[in-house]
């Protein structure tokens, strides 16, 4: 039995009364349809009488587009049953996912592809060049998949086109899309008020399906296109709508973020949070950061990688931290530009500092090489001449970054 088959059998055991020792998928497919845990005798009779469905294998072949009007079964239930049956039917054909899987979901024109373009290109090139690329983007057709590496671990990002036909396809065949998902980023265009209801309904359908399939990905809601003219009242109201839906699924962990392509740090902050939430060692790394901050006498500290993803941070002041994070993002890009143009290929001291107004603090950014990659520590301090030794810090951090997701 391959790994994918084992995984599918384990997942389906929560929705099907699987025999104690199921050896094959075929055995499971031949089970009567009433072994699905929420199919009662009346449902089983209707499935047999109206659709000639007796087994789970029969159920996998049902076409949702050609159902009798007098079926007598709740369509949402039937969709879930068919999804479970199709997962079982395809288990021996599905290649097991060995890395982490991320879905980026939402209606068309929510900004999904543009957001991924920012992540893909930062810190390369200018914003002007990036803007031209974003303006030239066309609607995603179906699902666009690509892989990227983060902390020596492979991720598969699925950019899921948001046109209505594609959304229906995802929900009709969830076994192709939602199985083995680690994070779902759901994006809403906050400026498209006329489609709020449509987006919320789609969001709830996605959560209902993954809940039925016994999947528990991290849910990250991105209220996107948050320009300054967007009302705080509207933002508060839509956050409440999302929370009310999420409360129906208490097993799902979630966060809600406000993002904009004009403040790229908001995008990296949201994606960083999701990645950190699935890390095996997030708490340990946070402890090391806090200890290092105490050691050098600073209350606000952030660690990011060379692409702008936040690894960890410590701050008691959210507003001050937002400023620190933005400064560190911008300065890390500046440092990399210096490194790439300097003849020696590195900063002489691996440290830059400058005054920050209006409170006359000194911002210091330190480059810390770990695992053949560059990381950047940003701090705010009153002491512009502060000497900071990072060797012990990097040695402590090394093993946990190396095994960030293991």
């Amino acid at each position: 039995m391959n790994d994918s088959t084992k995984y599918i059998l384990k997942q389906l055991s929560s929705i099907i009364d699987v025999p104690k020792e199921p050896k094959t998928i075929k055995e499971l497919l031949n089970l009567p349809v009433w072994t699905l845990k929420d199919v009662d005798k009346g449902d089983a009779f209707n499935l047999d009488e109206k659709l000639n469905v007796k087994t789970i294998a029969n159920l996998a072949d049902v076409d949702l587009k050609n159902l009798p009007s007098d079926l007598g079964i709740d369509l949402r239930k039937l969709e879930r049953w068919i999804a479970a049956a199709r997962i079982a039917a395809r288990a021996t054909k599905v290649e097991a996912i060995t890395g982490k899987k991320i879905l980026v979901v939402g209606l068309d024109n929510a900004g999904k592809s543009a957001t991924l373009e920012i992540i893909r290109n930062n810190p390369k090139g200018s914003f002007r060049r990036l803007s031209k690329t974003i303006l030239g983007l066309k609607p995603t057709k179906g699902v666009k998949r690509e892989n990227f590496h983060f902390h020596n671990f492979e991720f598969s990002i699925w950019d899921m086109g948001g046109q209505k036909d594609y959304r229906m396809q995802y929900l009709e065949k969830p076994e192709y899309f939602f199985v083995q998902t680690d994070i779902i980023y759901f994006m809403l265009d906050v400026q498209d008020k006329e489609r709020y209801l449509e987006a919320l309904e789609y969001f709830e359908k996605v959560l209902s399906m993954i809940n039925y399939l016994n999947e528990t990905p991290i849910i990250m809601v991105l209220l996107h296109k948050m320009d300054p003219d967007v009302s705080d009242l509207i933002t508060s109201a839509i956050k409440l709508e999302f929370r009310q839906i999420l409360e129906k699924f208490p097993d799902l962990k979630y966060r809600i973020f406000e993002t904009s392509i004009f403040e790229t740090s908001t995008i990296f902050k949201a994606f960083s949070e999701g990645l950190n939430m699935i890390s095996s060692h997030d708490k340990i790394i946070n402890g090391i950061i806090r200890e290092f901050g105490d050691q050098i006498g600073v209350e606000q500290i952030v660690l990011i990688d060379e692409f702008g993803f936040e690894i960890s941070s410590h701050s008691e002041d959210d507003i001050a931290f937002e400023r620190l994070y933005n400064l560190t993002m911008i300065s890390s890009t500046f440092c990399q530009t210096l490194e790439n143009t300097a003849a020696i290929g590195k900063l002489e001291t691996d440290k830059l500092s400058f005054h920050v107004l209006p409170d006359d603090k000194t911002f210091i950014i330190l480059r810390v090489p770990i695992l053949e990659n560059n990381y950047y520590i940003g701090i705010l301090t009153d002491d512009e001449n502060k000497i900071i030794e990072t060797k012990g810090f990097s040695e402590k951090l090394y093993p946990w970054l190396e095994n960030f997701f293991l």
Side-chain angles (χ1 to χ4, degrees), residues 329-384:
M329 281 275 293
I330 295 167
S331 301
S332 67
T333 303
F334 177 62
C335 288
Q336 290 174 68
T337 302
L338 286 180
E339 292 159 14
N340 293 334
T341 56
I344 55 174
K346 69 185 289 292
L347 297 176
E348 186 176 351
T349 63
D350 288 335
K351 172 183 173 181
L352 289 176
S353 64
F354 50 85
H355 285 288
V356 179
L357 299 175
D359 50 2
D360 201 32
K361 293 277 188 181
T362 296
F363 169 74
I364 296 177
I365 184 166
L366 302 150
R367 186 178 67 165
V368 184
I370 304 175
L371 298 174
E372 300 181 354
N373 297 312
N374 286 325
Y375 294 81
Y376 296 89
I377 298 172
I379 65 172
L380 286 172
T381 177
D382 294 316
D383 182 3
E384 63 181 33

Side-chain angles (χ1 to χ4, degrees), residues 117-124 264 268 306-308 329 333:
E117 190 68 30
I118 287 170
I119 290 174
R120 189 183 301 114
N121 282 280
N122 193 73
K124 305 167 189 172
T264 56
F268 277 87
E306 59 192 345
F307 301 106
M329 281 275 293
T333 303

Side-chain angles (χ1 to χ4, degrees), residues 126-136:
S126 66
F127 186 76
R128 173 190 251 174
R129 191 180 308 132
L130 180 60
S131 298
K132 288 182 179 179
T133 301
I134 290 172
L135 289 172

Side-chain angles (χ1 to χ4, degrees), residues 124-332:
K124 305 167 189 172
S126 66
F127 186 76
R128 173 190 251 174
R129 191 180 308 132
L130 180 60
S131 298
K132 288 182 179 179
T133 301
I134 290 172
L135 289 172
L137 289 173
K138 296 180 180 178
T140 302
K141 296 181 178 180
V143 177
K144 181 181 178 181
R145 307 178 193 180
E146 60 181 296
N147 295 330
F148 80 100
H149 285 81
F150 180 64
H151 290 295
N152 298 328
F153 208 87
E154 186 175 58
F155 283 80
S156 176
I157 293 189
W158 298 28
D159 179 4
M160 301 180 72
Q163 289 84 356
K164 186 175 181 180
D165 288 347
Y166 297 135
R167 284 183 268 136
M168 291 175 62
Q169 181 183 357
Y170 307 149
L171 295 171
E172 288 174 359
K173 297 183 178 180
E175 70 277 12
Y176 284 89
F177 306 103
F178 298 116
V179 169
Q180 290 178 271
T181 298
D182 295 284
I183 310 174
I184 293 179
Y185 290 93
F186 188 92
M187 299 190 65
L188 171 80
D189 177 357
V190 294
Q191 299 193 30
D192 193 355
K193 301 180 184 67
E194 293 182 359
R195 301 186 75 189
Y196 279 3
L197 181 59
E198 183 182 3
L200 289 166
E201 288 177 348
Y202 178 41
F203 180 65
E204 185 164 4
K205 286 180 179 179
V206 169
L207 296 193
S208 295
M209 186 57 71
I210 63 174
N211 181 66
Y212 182 74
L213 298 177
N214 198 34
E215 297 286 338
T216 54
I218 300 296
I219 306 298
M220 308 297 287
V221 177
L222 274 57
L223 306 183
H224 195 48
K225 305 184 184 180
M226 281 294 300
D227 293 350
D229 59 341
V230 177
S231 167
D232 289 340
L233 290 175
I234 293 176
T235 305
S236 299
I238 197 65
K239 283 182 179 179
L240 179 60
E241 295 276 5
F242 273 109
R243 288 194 178 101
Q244 288 175 341
I245 293 173
L246 285 156
E247 285 172 2
K248 299 177 184 179
F249 307 94
D251 291 336
L252 297 177
K253 296 179 181 178
Y254 72 91
R255 297 285 189 279
I256 300 177
F257 285 86
E258 299 174 13
T259 57
S260 169
I261 63 171
F262 299 109
E263 292 186 44
T264 56
S265 62
T266 61
I267 291 171
F268 277 87
K269 177 66 176 172
F271 272 76
S272 298
E273 182 78 9
L275 293 172
N276 286 329
M277 286 176 72
I278 62 171
S279 166
S280 306
H281 308 305
D282 182 42
K283 290 182 179 179
I284 295 174
I285 291 173
N286 285 342
I288 294 172
I289 285 287
R290 184 185 291 256
E291 181 183 313
F292 182 65
D294 292 341
Q295 176 186 327
I296 62 176
V298 298
E299 296 180 353
Q300 297 166 23
I301 181 170
V302 63
L303 174 70
I304 69 172
D305 71 3
E306 59 192 345
F307 301 106
F309 288 108
E310 179 193 334
I311 307 304
S312 183
S313 62
H314 174 61
S315 176
E316 302 294 339
D317 185 334
D318 290 342
I319 296 176
F321 171 73
E322 184 176 346
R323 181 176 61 164
L324 173 61
Y325 180 68
N326 291 339
L327 283 169
T328 307
M329 281 275 293
I330 295 167
S331 301
S332 67

